[in-house]
Each structure stands twice: as C-alpha cells, then as structure tokens.
Amino acid sequence: MTDRETLFKTIETLVLCHSPSGVEGEIDRVLLHRFPELGCETWQDRAGNIIAKIPGQTSQNAIAITAHKDEIGAIVKAIHPNGRLEIRRLGGSFPWVYGEGVVDILGDRATLSGILSFGSRHVSHESPQKALQENVPLRWENAWVETKCSHKTLVDAGIRPGTRVVVGKHRKRPFRLNNYIASYTLDNKASVAILLALAEQIKTPPVDLYLVASAKEEVGAIGALYFTQNQPLDALIALEICPLSSEYPIKDGEIPVLLSQDGYGIYDEGLNEELHRAAASAGVPIQFAAISGFGSDASIAMKFGHVARAACLGFPTQNTHGYEIAHLDAISNCIKLLANYCQSNV
C-alpha cells in the first residue's frame, strides 16, 4: 500500500496546479515531466490528454485507466470599466461553495487575483443582496469578482470573456485530518495521483496499459471521448470520487466503491466482476453503488459507443465538488486493487 505521507504530498503537488477545463497547462507540465521519470512513453494528444503507455506482453485487448486532470471553477462573461468581472459557472461549480475570498484570474499573459464577492450584508429590502439573506439561492449571476484594477490593466494581462477563474492557490493547499485529506479539487487530482503510483509500480503488464490524465472532463468528457475514439480498447476504467450522501448506501472510510450505474447509464458487469476478483485477491474490500447526478469518462465513452466495456472505481468523498474530504487509505486501496488487476488481467 502506498504510504499516506507520500500520497498526501503527491496530491498536494497536483492540487496546487491550476487546471480549469481547457486551461490545464500547469498540471500538464508536471505530468509531462513525471510520467517519463517513471519510465513511461508519454505524450499529449490534440485533445489535451496526457497519455502514459506501459507496453504489455501483447498489444491486443489493451486497457486504459483515466483520471481527469481538469477542475471546475468559473469563466469570465464580461469586464466592466471599473474592473469588476461578471462570471459564470465552469463545470459543476457553485459560488457558495467557495465563499467570498481570493480567486485567481488566469489571463493569457498574467495571472491576477481578485475577490469573489456577493455584496454587503447590512442592507435593506431596497438592495438585491437582501433576498440572498432570506429566500433566494445564491447563483453565479448574483456574484462577481472585484479586481480593483483598471480596464487597461486587465486587458494587458490578457483577461477577457472566456478567461478562467479558480479558487486562489493559497486556499487550495490540502489539510490533513488524521488519516483523511481535505482540499478543493480532490476531484480529480487524487485520481491523477493514483495514475502516477500505478506508473511507478506496473512495469510489464499482460496487455498494453494506457494511463490517461484526461482533459475537459468537467465540461463533457471531451478528452476521453477523443482518446477512446482513436485508441481501440478492450476496457476503460475511470477513477473518480464517489459522493457520500444519505441517499446512497456508501460508507465513509477506506473501502473503495465500484459503480454499477450513474447518470449516463450502466457499467459493464463483467468488468466489474473482474475488478471485484482482483480486489479480493489483493485483500481489498469493495462496496457497490448505483448513483445519479454523476458521470465519468467511462460511462460517457460507453454511452457513445466508444468502448464496449467500462467501469468506474471511486473513493468515498464528502463535500464533492466542494472542499472535499477523503480517506487516504481509500485512495491507496484503489492503487492496490488496480495494480493487482493490471498485472494479472487476461
């Protein structure tokens, strides 16, 4: 099992790389350096995926494991003359999750900071902010970013409609809660850490193995769809967070989760059974779940007919798409299970 300290530090490195959907260069540079260090043939395709290949004893029946490297956030809609930015959601983000505070604005030429703002509290019914205190949900249309910069300064930094906005880097540093890790963007930086651990542990699998840090998953699994359209595969396994909620029979802690169904359809029962056997062989307990309001690279690729067999392996996570909390051993158990599967897969 990967030790908790090493895993925590790897996740911390990845979390601190800004990678909003479509603007993923920070984490790309880290992965394009790290995968080759681990002995993998590595490249970036035209869709932005980072692909690490571990050659197998045969190239038939190749498998791929994906972990998306992009994160949710916001996107600039308009720039006001006073430097205030109108913003809208990027992926499944909600402004109240981040709260008022520092955000980073990723301009084409420079990154500037601003303050995600919702307005004053000391107001009467004459102010639109009053409704937010009483009975109206906070939406991106009610939020804005204060930069206190001139319009020229923003333009010079390359900030424009379409510029990505993410939670400030200093707010992203993970926090340790005993054997748990807490952070923004564990979805899906912790899963990318699993890919790196697999690249370190697996050297000559029975079949070709592709470890794919997929691009633009949060806005439609764009990277995974491109990869699976161009690379024949016997099976695709997506790594994901798995939401903890009273509506699902998923227990918090160190036991990974195999999904049977999500919002895009059912997963392949045969592949799930193979993974379940690999888990038992590795001494890793498994829990199963059928969830909604959720999708993965694997379920979307299978829905569109790009792969015949797909599965999704996740680790139980609180506050998904927020300040997420997951047990480090659940993440480590995903590594243990997949390493056993990939080295014994037939």
Side-chain angles (χ1 to χ4, degrees):
M1 180 181 289
T2 303
D3 73 86
R4 294 168 184 157
E5 293 303 322
T6 299
L7 190 55
F8 184 93
K9 290 177 181 177
T10 300
I11 296 171
E12 180 177 50
T13 297
L14 298 171
V15 161
L16 291 175
C17 295
H18 286 325
S19 60
S21 298
V23 182
E24 303 163 28
E26 271 194 52
I27 195 167
D28 290 347
R29 288 187 287 274
V30 171
L31 296 177
L32 287 168
H33 175 73
R34 186 68 182 128
F35 276 126
E37 277 190 336
L38 297 171
C40 298
E41 177 187 356
T42 307
W43 68 95
Q44 185 166 28
D45 67 17
R46 290 177 62 81
N49 301 306
I50 304 294
I51 303 157
K53 180 180 179 181
I54 304 176
Q57 297 170 28
T58 175
S59 293
Q60 295 181 339
N61 301 319
I63 63 175
I65 302 172
T66 68
H68 71 82
K69 58 188 169 67
D70 63 318
E71 63 186 85
I72 58 176
I75 191 167
V76 174
K77 180 182 180 182
I79 303 174
H80 289 239
N82 63 358
R84 178 176 290 186
L85 306 180
E86 287 187 41
I87 51 175
R88 295 295 183 267
R89 67 189 297 163
L90 180 70
S93 62
F94 296 91
W96 48 265
V97 165
Y98 304 118
E100 292 174 324
V102 177
V103 292
D104 289 342
I105 309 155
L106 309 183
D108 296 331
R109 290 176 289 279
T111 295
L112 301 182
S113 293
I115 305 298
L116 181 62
S117 300
F118 309 147
S120 295
R121 307 292 94 78
H122 297 85
V123 294
S124 70
H125 66 280
E126 298 179 35
S127 297
Q129 284 75 37
K130 188 64 176 179
L132 300 178
Q133 299 176 32
E134 297 178 342
N135 55 15
V136 174
L138 177 66
R139 303 182 186 279
W140 285 109
E141 290 83 351
N142 309 122
W144 63 90
V145 173
E146 289 288 353
T147 69
K148 300 304 181 185
C149 292
S150 68
H151 187 274
K152 181 180 184 304
T153 298
L154 296 174
V155 170
D156 288 347
I159 294 169
R160 52 174 172 75
T163 292
R164 304 325 196 246
V165 179
V166 292
V167 66
K169 188 166 288 191
H170 73 283
R171 299 173 65 195
K172 291 171 105 178
R173 189 172 296 280
F175 185 78
R176 185 77 178 264
L177 287 172
N178 296 317
N179 295 328
Y180 289 78
I181 183 171
S183 175
Y184 289 113
T185 76
L186 287 186
D187 177 28
N188 214 28
K189 303 296 176 57
S191 294
V192 177
I194 294 173
L195 293 186
L196 290 171
L198 292 173
E200 185 172 15
Q201 294 182 23
I202 300 170
K203 297 307 175 187
T204 309
V207 300
D208 285 352
L209 173 63
Y210 295 91
L211 304 175
V212 183
S214 60
K216 309 181 193 76
E217 187 271 351
E218 295 287 7
V219 290
I222 293 170
L225 288 174
Y226 180 86
F227 174 77
T228 53
Q229 185 178 44
N230 290 280
Q231 176 60 57
L233 297 170
D234 177 65
L236 174 68
I237 303 166
L239 285 163
E240 273 291 352
I241 56 170
C242 194
L244 284 166
S245 173
S246 59
E247 69 177 285
Y248 305 129
I250 302 169
K251 296 180 181 179
D252 190 12
E254 60 191 55
I255 303 177
V257 183
L258 268 175
L259 295 188
S260 295
Q261 182 184 42
D262 67 20
Y264 285 86
I266 58 173
Y267 289 94
D268 185 80
E269 284 297 303
L271 182 55
N272 272 358
E273 179 56 29
E274 291 175 14
L275 289 166
H276 195 195
R277 289 198 302 268
S281 173
V284 176
I286 282 289
Q287 48 187 328
F288 286 87
I291 65 178
S292 57
F294 183 96
S296 75
D297 281 340
S299 60
I300 296 172
M302 192 162 70
K303 177 182 176 67
F304 284 95
H306 289 199
V307 292
R309 304 199 307 150
C312 183
L313 177 66
F315 44 90
T317 305
Q318 292 173 257
N319 307 331
T320 56
H321 273 190
Y323 199 84
E324 296 159 329
I325 309 170
H327 200 295
L328 286 162
D329 288 350
I331 301 168
S332 186
N333 276 329
C334 289
I335 299 168
K336 188 176 180 181
L337 186 166
L338 288 172
N340 188 47
Y341 175 77
C342 292
Q343 293 175 113
S344 61
N345 177 57
V346 293

